[in-house]
Amino acid sequence: MTESTEPITELPDSLTRLHDDPVDAATTLRERAGDTDVAEQVGCLFAALSNPQRLQLLWALRDGECCVCELQTALDAPQSTVASHLRCLTDAGLVSTRKDGKWSYYRPADPAVFELVDDALAIADVEATE
Amino acid sequence: MTESTEPITELPDSLTRLHDDPVDAATTLRERAGDTDVAEQVGCLFAALSNPQRLQLLWALRDGECCVCELQTALDAPQSTVASHLRCLTDAGLVSTRKDGKWSYYRPADPAVFELVDDALAIADVEATE
DNA sequence: CAGTCATATTGTATACTTTCGATATGGTCG
DNA sequence: CGACCATATCGAAAGTATACAATATGACTG
């Protein structure tokens, strides 16, 4: 019950012209829009996936774990850049780490993320760049 | 064939210590990481979904089209804020518009986006806020 | 055709993100 | 323990996104 108690601000005039019972309509609409906190959490996940280099990191990890220097090679990007993207993915819970001596190996935390990315690929209607 | 021709920059030293044939390893890694342009397109889609208010707009539209003043009510946000989020969703191809006199009605362009969002909800492991 | 209405656009202040060199950390090896 | 290595973190500059008041647009109404 984090949501939908009372109208916080004034309802738009236009709404009162569109609905007989605007207060009731507002309640329904706000219920449909769902909880702000949930939206924020989901938004964070999508934000982690909204960067092309981070997507490429995930793709690189799809077939098995890699250490940072391999990912650095995969993206052809500076070490610190790769490290911060990996931090971001870790914070979002999308990858996990294993240390082996001075090497750090990364892998996808939950393979389900690839379904998400594949669906996105389909929706984005990407033409195979061949 | 937009990708993977030659190593552009120097390979990291560490890679040469990890692989017998670092150039070959680099090629494989870059193939796995996939195409930059594709990553960018998918990234744009995720970016459109990375904002909590835009997610709430989509949720509000899930059960049927709404006009702007209804969405404004659903989010309890100023008109111009809602309008720019709607623009963003439209640009990303996620919603489409129909005009009826001075009212504009918005609806999801492709219901597949809700699968995406639902999967994200599952991955984000959101606790039902009750 | 003047007024009003719903929505779109613009302008801008502010906040967040990204990039990457420099530097810190913590491991390994001689 | 001293040099070196792989990675992480910091910090500043540049870029991008967000919010929202003000204003423009284009439609309906008298």
Side-chain angles (χ1 to χ4, degrees):
Chain A
M1 281 184 195
T2 321
E3 63 178 293
S4 73
T5 38
E6 303 286 316
I8 304 157
T9 37
E10 217 63 50
L11 297 177
D13 292 2
S14 31
L15 195 77
T16 69
R17 267 179 284 275
L18 205 58
H19 293 280
D20 290 347
D21 185 347
V23 174
D24 185 61
T27 308
T28 308
L29 283 162
R30 283 171 187 160
E31 265 169 35
R32 281 201 205 163
D35 190 86
T36 307
D37 300 336
V38 172
E40 216 145 312
Q41 284 183 73
V42 177
C44 283
L45 176 58
F46 282 129
L49 294 169
S50 71
N51 178 289
Q53 301 204 82
R54 285 196 292 270
L55 287 170
Q56 292 191 284
L57 286 174
L58 284 172
W59 286 328
L61 296 174
R62 188 162 201 169
D63 299 336
E65 64 177 16
C66 293
C67 73
V68 177
C69 71
E70 290 173 314
L71 295 171
Q72 193 178 332
T73 306
L75 295 200
D76 196 15
Q79 185 268 323
S80 64
T81 301
V82 173
S84 32
H85 284 310
L86 286 170
R87 184 91 159 73
C88 179
L89 289 170
T90 308
D91 289 351
L94 293 175
V95 301
S96 45
T97 318
R98 172 177 78 83
K99 280 214 128 186
D100 181 6
K102 33 185 181 176
W103 278 269
S104 290
Y105 287 90
Y106 284 83
R107 69 173 138 186
D110 178 358
V113 77
F114 292 114
E115 290 169 39
L116 198 68
V117 174
D118 288 344
D119 285 358
L121 258 161
I123 290 172
D125 193 25
V126 179
E127 332 236 315
T129 352
E130 252 191 277
Chain B
M1 284 186 191
T2 321
E3 65 177 290
S4 72
T5 38
E6 303 286 316
I8 305 159
T9 36
E10 216 63 49
L11 298 176
D13 292 2
S14 31
L15 195 77
T16 70
R17 268 180 283 275
L18 204 57
H19 292 280
D20 291 346
D21 186 346
V23 175
D24 185 59
T27 308
T28 308
L29 283 161
R30 283 170 187 160
E31 266 168 33
R32 280 200 206 163
D35 191 86
T36 308
D37 299 336
V38 172
E40 216 145 312
Q41 284 182 74
V42 177
C44 283
L45 177 57
F46 282 129
L49 294 169
S50 72
N51 177 290
Q53 300 202 85
R54 285 197 292 271
L55 287 169
Q56 291 191 284
L57 285 174
L58 284 173
W59 285 329
L61 296 174
R62 188 162 201 169
D63 299 336
E65 63 177 17
C66 292
C67 74
V68 178
C69 71
E70 288 173 315
L71 295 170
Q72 193 178 333
T73 306
L75 296 199
D76 197 13
Q79 185 269 322
S80 63
T81 299
V82 173
S84 30
H85 283 310
L86 286 170
R87 182 92 157 72
C88 178
L89 289 169
T90 307
D91 289 350
L94 293 175
V95 301
S96 46
T97 319
R98 171 177 78 81
K99 279 215 127 185
D100 181 6
K102 33 187 182 178
W103 278 270
S104 290
Y105 287 91
Y106 284 82
R107 69 175 137 185
D110 179 359
V113 77
F114 292 114
E115 289 169 40
L116 198 68
V117 174
D118 288 344
D119 285 357
L121 257 161
I123 291 172
D125 192 27
V126 179
E127 330 238 313
T129 352
E130 251 190 277

